[in-house]
Amino acid sequence: MDPATPIQEEMMLFHDHALVLLIGIFMFVVILGMNLVFNKLSSRTMLEAQQLETIWTIIPALLLIWLALPSLRLLYLLDEQPSDGLVLKSTAHQWYWSYELPYNGMAFDSYMVPLKDLNEGMYRLLEVDNSVTLPYEVNTNIITTSADVLHAFALPSMGLKMDAVPGRLNSMNMFINFPGIYYGQCSEICGANHSFMPIVIEALFFGGSF
């Protein structure tokens, strides 16, 4: 999916960064293997090569650092919790979501639209009767928990996935870049109707401040 938040953009950039490293290593190993297969030269008298061992220890270490630094940066970005913005509380149930929006005092349940009630152009297993409406370009702190078993609140285009654990609050920040309708699902196997509790967020422009 196209990224809709800065975090998801960073995740995709890190994916590309890691892929360049992996492809480079793969190509190097293939070339080295082909040379070893077709090379008829050998040295039965060589017992050690300290210089070679030093090189093949230092280079992988540098490659791991090249991979670790952007990974650590991304981890710290995921953990950031701005003090301003909105709060959205989502409570998971078997098998629907309940939402609370303290900024306007709303609280409602969100159920999947049955197949027989779908209209043309609606997505199967992804539409809900009550979607969450949020302003875009505003920090939103999403707090999630569960009323029964383990669930997971996941919005792929937002780079958002967090466990909903009974008796515990988990939170992540979300900053939506563009208006639109964004779909997600529970990504923890939570029972017989696990695939029937989608998440829908509508990002709109709201005048004024929050």
Side-chain angles (χ1 to χ4, degrees), residues 154-193:
L155 284 164
S157 57
M158 307 288 180
L160 195 67
K161 181 181 182 295
M162 54 181 165
D163 291 335
V165 183
R168 178 175 175 177
L169 297 176
N170 283 336
S171 66
M172 289 185 71
N173 184 67
M174 179 175 68
F175 185 89
I176 306 174
N177 285 330
F178 314 105
I181 301 176
Y182 302 97
Y183 296 90
Q185 289 178 303
C186 173
S187 58
E188 183 78 32
I189 298 177
C190 56
N193 293 328

Side-chain angles (χ1 to χ4, degrees), residues 6-195:
I7 287 295
Q8 180 64 2
E9 291 175 355
E10 291 290 338
M11 286 183 178
M12 294 185 73
L13 288 173
F14 177 71
H15 169 269
D16 296 342
H17 177 85
L19 200 60
V20 168
L21 175 63
L22 294 176
I23 291 174
I25 293 173
F26 176 75
M27 295 302 297
F28 175 74
V29 171
V30 168
I31 294 170
L32 194 62
M34 296 296 289
N35 284 334
L36 290 175
V37 169
F38 295 104
N39 191 350
K40 297 181 180 179
L41 301 177
S42 63
S43 177
R44 298 181 181 180
T45 59
M46 187 176 69
L47 299 178
E48 63 177 26
Q50 293 183 357
Q51 185 177 5
L52 179 62
E53 290 179 1
T54 301
I55 292 172
W56 72 34
T57 299
I58 292 176
I59 291 179
L62 294 176
L63 292 177
L64 287 175
I65 293 173
W66 186 47
L67 187 65
L69 291 178
S71 176
L72 289 172
R73 177 178 176 272
L74 183 56
L75 284 174
Y76 278 102
L77 287 174
L78 284 169
D79 203 38
E80 281 188 351
Q81 295 289 344
S83 57
D84 61 338
L86 308 178
V87 174
L88 168 66
K89 183 181 179 183
S90 64
T91 304
H93 305 266
Q94 289 182 310
W95 286 273
Y96 65 97
W97 295 91
S98 295
Y99 297 102
E100 296 177 40
L101 298 162
Y103 75 92
N104 61 9
M106 289 184 61
F108 57 92
D109 298 331
S110 180
Y111 291 87
M112 187 191 77
V113 175
L115 294 179
K116 60 184 178 62
D117 295 333
L118 290 176
N119 297 321
E120 186 177 353
M122 298 177 74
Y123 295 107
R124 175 180 173 272
L125 302 182
L126 287 177
E127 302 291 347
V128 297
D129 56 357
N130 290 312
S131 60
V132 180
T133 302
L134 294 173
Y136 71 97
E137 294 187 341
V138 174
N139 283 311
T140 303
N141 185 27
I142 299 181
I143 301 172
T144 187
T145 186
S146 172
D148 36 56
V149 299
L150 285 175
H151 298 270
F153 189 92
L155 284 164
S157 57
M158 307 288 180
L160 195 67
K161 181 181 182 295
M162 54 181 165
D163 291 335
V165 183
R168 178 175 175 177
L169 297 176
N170 283 336
S171 66
M172 289 185 71
N173 184 67
M174 179 175 68
F175 185 89
I176 306 174
N177 285 330
F178 314 105
I181 301 176
Y182 302 97
Y183 296 90
Q185 289 178 303
C186 173
S187 58
E188 183 78 32
I189 298 177
C190 56
N193 293 328
H194 154 68
S195 59

